Amino acid sequence: MNDLLRVEHLNKHYPGFALNDVSFSVKPGRIMGLIGKNGAGKSTTLKSILNMVRPESGTVTMLDKDFYGHEKECKQDIGVVFGGIDFYPLKKLSAITAVTRRFYQNWDQERYNDYLRQFSLDERKQFRSLSNGMKVKYLLALALSHHAALYILDEPTSGLDPVSRDEILHIFTRIVRDGNRSVLFSTHITSDLDRCADDITYIKNGRVLKSADRETFLHSFDHLRTDRDRNPLSLEEIMLRTERSDSDETAL
């Protein structure tokens, strides 16, 4: 089966920052983690993919379609969660859901109700009254309720307690179990990727440093090991040593 998502040569420039030639792909039935330190370009990459910010060049192929040419059609088959979005803070969840479900031809009210129960969400509450963690759970409930094939999430586990994080990661693994759907999510919590990621894309200073399946990815950084390392480096140690090396060079 073809890639569910193929990103090729994305470029986007801001004063003091740029995405440079970002390319990677997400295959069906896979969970890909997009990692990098704060400010590396993870959110900008996802927003460029979704045309929330317009890249200056590059292509995005989603579900075998040119996303920028078939954006409305493609969005029927993707679930998106971005942190820091407040919707209408004074509106009740029931009102927000009533508007949201009109956009999706395959909205599944029964599935949505199941997620409300699973996440202990009360639709009578105003969005602003939810904790950050509960806001993420509500956004996930919306994203998971229209039978999407591809899920794109920006820092979905940030701010969640360990039990809630485990719950979300378990949902990711269930999503891809049928081999037809995929998840792409950005994070700086490397332990989340250790538990569920099949593939990893590492963005550093606006460029893709490495994109590969997890085992290949980890071994590609063997050059960072020292004589004192008895075991392969963890993902966290790879990030620390890579970013530390960059900081040391800058200091010099």
Side-chain angles (χ1 to χ4, degrees), residues 128-195:
R128 70 173 182 178
S129 71
L130 302 180
S131 66
N132 288 336
M134 294 302 284
K135 286 178 180 177
V136 170
K137 287 186 175 183
Y138 173 63
L139 298 178
L140 276 170
L142 294 178
L144 292 165
S145 297
H146 61 274
H147 298 281
L150 175 66
Y151 296 87
I152 299 176
L153 310 103
D154 188 29
E155 303 276 2
T157 59
S158 180
L160 296 182
D161 61 82
V163 174
S164 296
R165 281 172 52 204
D166 180 75
E167 190 176 11
I168 299 305
L169 297 179
H170 184 63
I171 288 172
F172 289 173
T173 59
R174 291 209 319 261
I175 286 172
V176 304
R177 191 175 296 162
D178 63 7
N180 297 316
R181 298 181 291 171
S182 297
V183 173
L184 168 64
F185 75 104
S186 68
T187 186
H188 60 271
I189 305 172
T190 56
S191 59
D192 289 351
L193 300 181
D194 290 332
R195 295 172 58 191

Side-chain angles (χ1 to χ4, degrees), residues 87 91-101 104 106-125 127 130 134-147:
F87 280 111
K91 293 289 186 181
K92 294 181 180 179
L93 303 189
S94 57
I96 298 172
T97 301
V99 172
T100 302
R101 65 187 178 195
Y104 296 108
N106 295 321
W107 179 264
D108 188 332
Q109 187 64 32
E110 184 176 350
R111 175 173 289 191
Y112 171 73
N113 290 336
D114 286 343
Y115 280 117
L116 289 184
R117 288 190 290 270
Q118 182 174 338
F119 294 153
S120 300
L121 288 163
D122 183 351
E123 276 201 306
R124 295 169 297 182
K125 289 187 175 181
F127 188 79
L130 302 180
M134 294 302 284
K135 286 178 180 177
V136 170
K137 287 186 175 183
Y138 173 63
L139 298 178
L140 276 170
L142 294 178
L144 292 165
S145 297
H146 61 274
H147 298 281

Side-chain angles (χ1 to χ4, degrees), residues 18-249:
L19 283 185
N20 288 295
D21 201 37
V22 170
S23 299
F24 61 90
S25 61
V26 180
K27 299 183 183 304
R30 309 286 286 186
I31 299 173
M32 173 174 280
L34 186 66
I35 64 167
K37 70 177 185 179
N38 292 338
K42 302 186 300 297
S43 295
T44 302
T45 295
L46 297 183
K47 288 178 180 178
S48 295
I49 289 171
L50 295 167
N51 206 24
M52 296 169 69
V53 299
R54 184 66 178 176
E56 289 137 19
S57 60
T59 61
V60 173
T61 305
M62 192 178 293
L63 307 169
D64 292 326
K65 299 180 183 72
D66 169 26
F67 179 78
Y68 300 137
H70 301 84
E71 183 172 345
K72 185 176 180 180
E73 182 181 352
C74 288
K75 283 185 174 178
Q76 286 292 320
D77 293 311
I78 61 175
V80 176
V81 173
F82 271 81
I85 296 178
D86 278 339
F87 280 111
Y88 304 98
L90 298 179
K91 293 289 186 181
K92 294 181 180 179
L93 303 189
S94 57
I96 298 172
T97 301
V99 172
T100 302
R101 65 187 178 195
R102 295 175 190 168
F103 289 98
Y104 296 108
Q105 300 169 2
N106 295 321
W107 179 264
D108 188 332
Q109 187 64 32
E110 184 176 350
R111 175 173 289 191
Y112 171 73
N113 290 336
D114 286 343
Y115 280 117
L116 289 184
R117 288 190 290 270
Q118 182 174 338
F119 294 153
S120 300
L121 288 163
D122 183 351
E123 276 201 306
R124 295 169 297 182
K125 289 187 175 181
Q126 292 180 331
F127 188 79
R128 70 173 182 178
S129 71
L130 302 180
S131 66
N132 288 336
M134 294 302 284
K135 286 178 180 177
V136 170
K137 287 186 175 183
Y138 173 63
L139 298 178
L140 276 170
L142 294 178
L144 292 165
S145 297
H146 61 274
H147 298 281
L150 175 66
Y151 296 87
I152 299 176
L153 310 103
D154 188 29
E155 303 276 2
T157 59
S158 180
L160 296 182
D161 61 82
V163 174
S164 296
R165 281 172 52 204
D166 180 75
E167 190 176 11
I168 299 305
L169 297 179
H170 184 63
I171 288 172
F172 289 173
T173 59
R174 291 209 319 261
I175 286 172
V176 304
R177 191 175 296 162
D178 63 7
N180 297 316
R181 298 181 291 171
S182 297
V183 173
L184 168 64
F185 75 104
S186 68
T187 186
H188 60 271
I189 305 172
T190 56
S191 59
D192 289 351
L193 300 181
D194 290 332
R195 295 172 58 191
C196 74
D198 301 299
D199 307 298
I200 299 171
T201 295
Y202 185 178
I203 291 187
K204 184 171 182 285
N205 298 328
R207 297 179 181 273
V208 173
L209 191 62
K210 183 68 178 179
S211 184
D213 65 87
R214 182 167 55 183
E215 184 176 353
T216 301
F217 181 94
L218 293 174
H219 283 299
S220 70
F221 290 89
D222 281 345
H223 63 279
L224 297 176
R225 296 177 63 188
T226 68
D227 294 338
R228 290 175 294 178
D229 295 312
R230 302 301 180 206
N231 299 309
L233 296 180
S234 66
L235 184 55
E236 179 179 13
E237 193 60 37
I238 286 171
M239 281 194 66
L240 287 172
R241 295 189 189 189
T242 301
E243 301 297 340
R244 188 185 303 138
S245 174
D246 188 52
S247 298
D248 291 344
E249 291 178 7

